[in-house]
Amino acid sequence: MEAMAEQARKVILITDGDDVARRAVESVARQVGGRCISLSAGNPSPLGGAQLVELIKQAAADPVMVMFDDNGNCGRGLGEQAIEYVLLHPDIEVLGVIAVASNTRFVVGTRVQYSVDKDGNIVEDAVDKDGNPLKQLDKHIYGDTVDVLHKYRIPWVIGIGDIGKMQGKDSLRRGCPVTRKAVEWILERSGWSGKQAAPVREQNRGEAAHLGRPG
Protein backbone atom coordinates (compact mmCIF):
# COMPACT_ATOMS: atom_id res chain seq x y z
CA MET A 1 0.00 0.00 0.00
CA GLU A 2 1.42 3.38 -0.99
CA ALA A 3 2.17 5.94 1.72
CA MET A 4 -0.19 8.89 2.03
CA ALA A 5 0.91 12.08 0.33
CA GLU A 6 2.95 14.33 2.56
CA GLN A 7 1.00 17.25 3.98
CA ALA A 8 2.00 20.75 2.98
CA ARG A 9 4.27 22.49 5.46
CA LYS A 10 2.73 25.41 7.33
CA VAL A 11 4.79 28.54 6.84
CA ILE A 12 4.83 32.18 7.90
CA LEU A 13 6.82 34.54 5.67
CA ILE A 14 8.61 37.52 7.24
CA THR A 15 9.95 40.37 5.12
CA ASP A 16 13.05 41.17 7.17
CA GLY A 17 16.35 39.38 7.47
CA ASP A 18 18.99 41.39 9.31
CA ASP A 19 20.78 39.93 12.33
CA VAL A 20 18.46 41.57 14.87
CA ALA A 21 15.41 40.24 13.05
CA ARG A 22 16.94 36.77 12.84
CA ARG A 23 17.46 36.56 16.59
CA ALA A 24 13.96 37.88 17.24
CA VAL A 25 12.31 35.41 14.85
CA GLU A 26 14.35 32.52 16.29
CA SER A 27 13.14 33.48 19.76
CA VAL A 28 9.49 33.75 18.75
CA ALA A 29 9.63 30.44 16.86
CA ARG A 30 10.82 28.74 20.04
CA GLN A 31 8.11 30.44 22.07
CA VAL A 32 5.30 29.14 19.85
CA GLY A 33 6.78 25.68 19.31
CA GLY A 34 7.71 26.22 15.68
CA ARG A 35 10.96 26.47 13.76
CA CYS A 36 12.89 29.29 12.14
CA ILE A 37 14.94 28.84 8.98
CA SER A 38 17.94 30.78 10.29
CA LEU A 39 19.81 30.34 7.01
CA SER A 40 17.14 32.46 5.31
CA ALA A 41 18.42 35.55 7.14
CA GLY A 42 20.77 37.97 5.40
CA ASN A 43 21.01 41.30 3.58
CA PRO A 44 20.03 40.50 0.90
CA SER A 45 18.46 37.05 1.17
CA PRO A 46 21.28 34.55 0.62
CA LEU A 47 19.17 31.62 -0.58
CA GLY A 48 16.87 31.15 -3.54
CA GLY A 49 13.32 29.87 -3.39
CA ALA A 50 14.17 26.28 -4.27
CA GLN A 51 16.78 26.10 -1.51
CA LEU A 52 14.35 27.55 1.00
CA VAL A 53 11.64 25.03 0.13
CA GLU A 54 14.07 22.18 0.77
CA LEU A 55 14.99 23.62 4.16
CA ILE A 56 11.33 24.14 5.03
CA LYS A 57 10.62 20.49 4.26
CA GLN A 58 13.45 19.46 6.59
CA ALA A 59 12.22 21.55 9.53
CA ALA A 60 11.31 19.50 12.58
CA ALA A 61 7.97 21.19 13.31
CA ASP A 62 5.37 23.62 12.02
CA PRO A 63 4.87 26.52 11.85
CA VAL A 64 8.06 27.28 9.94
CA MET A 65 9.17 30.92 9.84
CA VAL A 66 11.16 32.10 6.85
CA MET A 67 12.84 35.49 6.36
CA PHE A 68 13.27 37.48 3.16
CA ASP A 69 15.23 40.70 2.64
CA ASP A 70 16.06 42.87 -0.38
CA ASN A 71 18.60 45.00 1.54
CA GLY A 72 16.98 48.30 0.59
CA ASN A 73 16.61 47.47 -3.10
CA CYS A 74 13.46 49.22 -4.33
CA GLY A 75 13.24 46.87 -7.33
CA ARG A 76 12.31 43.19 -7.47
CA GLY A 77 15.27 41.89 -5.52
CA LEU A 78 16.40 38.44 -4.44
CA GLY A 79 14.11 38.41 -1.43
CA GLU A 80 10.98 39.08 -3.46
CA GLN A 81 11.96 36.53 -6.09
CA ALA A 82 12.29 33.92 -3.35
CA ILE A 83 8.96 34.96 -1.82
CA GLU A 84 7.18 34.30 -5.10
CA TYR A 85 8.73 30.85 -5.44
CA VAL A 86 7.74 29.84 -1.91
CA LEU A 87 4.25 31.34 -2.17
CA LEU A 88 3.41 29.29 -5.25
CA HIS A 89 5.07 26.01 -4.32
CA PRO A 90 2.51 23.16 -4.05
CA ASP A 91 4.20 21.66 -0.97
CA ILE A 92 3.97 24.88 1.03
CA GLU A 93 0.90 26.25 2.79
CA VAL A 94 1.48 29.92 3.55
CA LEU A 95 -0.52 30.82 6.65
CA GLY A 96 0.32 34.49 6.37
CA VAL A 97 2.95 37.15 5.85
CA ILE A 98 4.40 39.59 8.37
CA ALA A 99 5.09 42.69 6.26
CA VAL A 100 7.84 44.78 7.82
CA ALA A 101 7.95 48.57 7.37
CA SER A 102 11.21 50.31 6.50
CA ASN A 103 12.39 53.71 5.33
CA THR A 104 12.99 52.51 1.76
CA ARG A 105 12.02 55.15 -0.81
CA PHE A 106 10.30 54.74 -4.19
CA VAL A 107 8.49 51.50 -3.37
CA VAL A 108 4.91 50.49 -4.14
CA GLY A 109 4.26 48.89 -0.76
CA THR A 110 1.42 46.53 0.01
CA ARG A 111 -1.96 46.97 1.61
CA VAL A 112 -2.61 45.46 5.03
CA GLN A 113 -5.91 45.17 6.83
CA TYR A 114 -4.30 45.05 10.27
CA SER A 115 -0.99 45.76 11.94
CA VAL A 116 0.60 45.26 15.32
CA ASP A 117 1.81 48.58 16.70
CA LYS A 118 4.87 49.03 18.92
CA ASP A 119 2.73 48.53 22.05
CA GLY A 120 1.42 45.16 20.85
CA ASN A 121 -2.04 46.42 19.89
CA ILE A 122 -3.83 45.14 16.80
CA VAL A 123 -4.76 48.24 14.81
CA GLU A 124 -6.68 48.76 11.58
CA ASP A 125 -3.88 50.86 10.13
CA ALA A 126 -0.50 50.42 8.56
CA VAL A 127 2.50 51.25 10.75
CA ASP A 128 5.87 52.88 10.21
CA LYS A 129 9.34 51.49 10.95
CA ASP A 130 8.99 52.38 14.65
CA GLY A 131 5.61 50.67 14.92
CA ASN A 132 3.56 53.85 15.04
CA PRO A 133 0.13 53.67 13.35
CA LEU A 134 -0.22 55.63 10.12
CA LYS A 135 -3.60 57.29 9.70
CA GLN A 136 -4.03 56.82 5.97
CA LEU A 137 -6.90 55.64 3.82
CA ASP A 138 -4.99 53.12 1.70
CA LYS A 139 -3.37 51.36 4.71
CA HIS A 140 -0.11 50.62 2.89
CA ILE A 141 3.04 49.24 4.49
CA TYR A 142 6.18 50.53 2.78
CA GLY A 143 9.26 48.32 2.86
CA ASP A 144 11.95 47.00 0.55
CA THR A 145 10.61 43.44 0.36
CA VAL A 146 6.84 43.82 0.24
CA ASP A 147 5.99 45.14 -3.24
CA VAL A 148 5.41 41.67 -4.68
CA LEU A 149 2.77 40.73 -2.10
CA HIS A 150 -0.10 42.64 -3.69
CA LYS A 151 0.00 40.27 -6.68
CA TYR A 152 -1.14 37.29 -4.62
CA ARG A 153 -4.21 36.25 -2.69
CA ILE A 154 -2.66 35.59 0.72
CA PRO A 155 -4.82 34.55 3.71
CA TRP A 156 -3.27 37.06 6.14
CA VAL A 157 -0.86 39.95 5.66
CA ILE A 158 -0.18 41.85 8.87
CA GLY A 159 1.97 44.94 9.16
CA ILE A 160 4.69 45.48 11.75
CA GLY A 161 7.56 47.86 12.48
CA ASP A 162 11.25 46.96 12.44
CA ILE A 163 11.43 43.49 14.00
CA GLY A 164 13.43 43.22 17.21
CA LYS A 165 13.64 47.02 17.49
CA MET A 166 10.76 49.54 17.54
CA GLN A 167 12.56 51.79 20.04
CA GLY A 168 13.33 48.82 22.28
CA LYS A 169 9.73 47.65 22.61
CA ASP A 170 10.36 44.48 20.57
CA SER A 171 13.80 43.75 21.99
CA LEU A 172 15.12 40.27 22.65
CA ARG A 173 15.35 40.89 26.39
CA ARG A 174 11.62 41.60 26.42
CA GLY A 175 10.88 38.43 24.50
CA CYS A 176 10.05 40.22 21.22
CA PRO A 177 6.39 40.72 22.21
CA VAL A 178 5.38 42.66 19.08
CA THR A 179 6.70 40.02 16.70
CA ARG A 180 5.17 37.27 18.83
CA LYS A 181 1.80 39.03 18.73
CA ALA A 182 1.92 39.14 14.92
CA VAL A 183 2.80 35.45 14.69
CA GLU A 184 0.09 34.44 17.17
CA TRP A 185 -2.48 36.57 15.34
CA ILE A 186 -1.80 34.70 12.11
CA LEU A 187 -1.79 31.29 13.81
CA GLU A 188 -5.03 31.87 15.70
CA ARG A 189 -6.92 32.98 12.62
CA SER A 190 -5.45 30.69 10.01
CA GLY A 191 -6.71 27.45 11.54
CA TRP A 192 -3.43 25.87 10.51
CA SER A 193 -3.64 23.06 13.06
CA GLY A 194 -7.11 21.95 12.08
CA LYS A 195 -7.59 22.56 8.38
CA GLN A 196 -5.80 23.29 5.15
CA ALA A 197 -5.86 26.86 3.88
CA ALA A 198 -6.71 27.62 0.27
CA PRO A 199 -3.61 27.59 -1.95
CA VAL A 200 -2.03 30.93 -2.74
CA ARG A 201 -2.71 32.07 -6.27
CA GLU A 202 -2.21 35.19 -8.34
CA GLN A 203 -4.76 37.95 -7.97
CA ASN A 204 -7.41 38.63 -10.55
CA ARG A 205 -7.26 42.22 -11.70
CA GLY A 206 -9.11 44.44 -9.23
CA GLU A 207 -9.51 41.71 -6.62
CA ALA A 208 -8.90 42.63 -2.99
CA ALA A 209 -5.61 41.14 -1.83
CA HIS A 210 -6.25 40.29 1.81
CA LEU A 211 -9.50 38.59 2.68
CA GLY A 212 -9.12 37.66 6.35
CA ARG A 213 -11.34 39.25 8.97
CA PRO A 214 -10.99 38.89 12.73
CA GLY A 215 -13.20 36.25 14.29
Side-chain angles (χ1 to χ4, degrees):
M1 184 175 178
E2 292 187 8
M4 292 181 64
E6 187 177 346
Q7 285 194 339
R9 300 305 302 267
K10 281 66 173 175
V11 176
I12 294 175
L13 311 184
I14 300 167
T15 67
D16 197 2
D18 65 24
D19 190 57
V20 174
R22 175 186 59 78
R23 285 180 282 142
V25 174
E26 288 172 343
S27 174
V28 171
R30 288 192 297 267
Q31 292 176 52
V32 302
R35 294 294 187 273
C36 167
I37 304 299
S38 297
L39 291 175
S40 66
N43 302 93
S45 294
L47 302 178
Q51 294 170 297
L52 289 173
V53 167
E54 289 307 309
L55 290 173
I56 291 167
K57 290 180 178 182
Q58 295 169 26
D62 292 339
V64 184
M65 300 178 202
V66 189
M67 293 166 279
F68 303 85
D69 200 309
D70 276 349
N71 193 27
N73 184 344
C74 62
R76 184 174 174 270
L78 297 176
E80 289 186 313
Q81 293 173 45
I83 283 176
E84 288 190 292
Y85 187 95
V86 174
L87 273 173
L88 296 175
H89 198 281
D91 296 336
I92 303 298
E93 179 184 325
V94 175
L95 304 181
V97 178
I98 297 176
V100 180
S102 72
N103 290 334
T104 307
R105 300 177 63 191
F106 309 119
V107 295
V108 175
T110 194
R111 186 177 185 273
V112 296
Q113 286 188 332
Y114 304 98
S115 298
V116 183
D117 71 13
K118 65 184 180 184
D119 296 312
N121 302 309
I122 299 292
V123 296
E124 293 190 1
D125 297 291
V127 292
D128 64 15
K129 184 175 181 178
D130 291 324
N132 299 306
L134 299 172
K135 300 300 181 181
Q136 54 187 23
L137 293 177
D138 63 4
K139 296 195 289 188
H140 264 58
I141 282 279
Y142 295 99
D144 67 356
T145 321
V146 303
D147 285 3
V148 73
L149 298 177
H150 73 276
K151 294 173 55 180
Y152 299 97
R153 192 170 187 246
I154 300 167
W156 291 98
V157 178
I158 187 164
I160 196 172
D162 205 357
I163 287 179
K165 301 172 187 174
M166 288 175 260
Q167 300 177 329
K169 294 200 172 185
D170 195 43
S171 67
L172 199 61
R173 64 181 178 82
R174 292 190 179 198
C176 312
V178 184
T179 301
R180 175 166 179 162
K181 182 74 171 184
V183 168
E184 290 178 336
W185 173 264
I186 290 172
L187 293 179
E188 289 168 2
R189 283 152 182 82
S190 68
W192 72 274
S193 61
K195 62 182 180 181
Q196 297 282 87
V200 172
R201 60 177 175 81
E202 287 199 50
Q203 290 283 84
N204 292 326
R205 187 177 297 275
E207 183 178 22
H210 314 306
L211 306 181
R213 293 285 181 184

